[in-house]
Amino acid sequence: QVQLVESGGGLVQAGGSLRLSCVGSGRSFNNLAMGWFRQAPGKKREFVASISYSGDDTYYADSVKGRFTISRDNLKSRVGLQMDSLKPEDTAVYYCAADSLRIVMPAQVAIWGQGTQVTVSS
């Protein structure tokens, strides 16, 4: 069973950048699709971005397209989320996710990280 640990959250001003990292333990990491979700207070958890097991295919929510970039390094069992041009509405807890299939919604996700807080001030 893969376990996921996120890092890299914090407080940043609007227009700034943050990079989130998620490290996976376990031998099956390279066979899993990976993704990022976020959940703001009082709102449902929503899809942000995902990447195929090979890294060849990436998918983004419309709200972050052009500002966020997902990547992975299978040698280091790591997936990253580069977040640029951050907006106050990006404030949320960000969760790393893993599944055997392409990740598009929270209900399908098999493995979650513990989450990391991202706060964007105006």
Side-chain angles (χ1 to χ4, degrees):
Q1 177 78 352
V2 172
Q3 293 185 323
L4 305 174
V5 178
E6 301 102 330
S7 62
L11 173 64
V12 64
Q13 288 188 330
S17 298
L18 279 175
R19 181 174 177 83
L20 305 183
S21 182
C22 172
V23 177
S25 62
R27 296 180 179 180
S28 61
F29 179 90
N30 294 358
N31 298 324
L32 297 173
M34 301 296 298
W36 290 93
F37 290 78
R38 66 187 182 187
Q39 188 166 17
K43 294 188 176 181
K44 293 181 179 179
R45 192 168 297 189
E46 65 175 5
F47 170 80
V48 174
S50 65
I51 189 167
S52 62
Y53 73 94
S54 66
D56 290 341
D57 300 302
T58 58
Y59 310 91
Y60 297 93
D62 288 343
S63 59
V64 307
K65 201 171 293 182
R67 299 188 299 121
F68 292 10
T69 303
I70 189 171
S71 61
R72 68 187 295 163
D73 182 343
N74 285 342
L75 293 178
K76 297 181 178 179
S77 297
R78 180 175 297 173
V79 61
L81 185 68
Q82 178 67 39
M83 304 185 295
D84 298 320
S85 302
L86 283 161
K87 304 175 181 180
E89 51 262 44
D90 294 318
T91 295
V93 177
Y94 282 70
Y95 296 90
C96 182
D99 195 81
S100 58
L101 301 176
R102 173 185 165 185
I103 293 175
V104 293
M105 62 180 67
Q108 71 170 106
V109 172
I111 306 168
W112 291 101
Q114 84 285 356
T116 185
Q117 177 71 45
V118 171
T119 303
V120 184
S121 63
S122 58

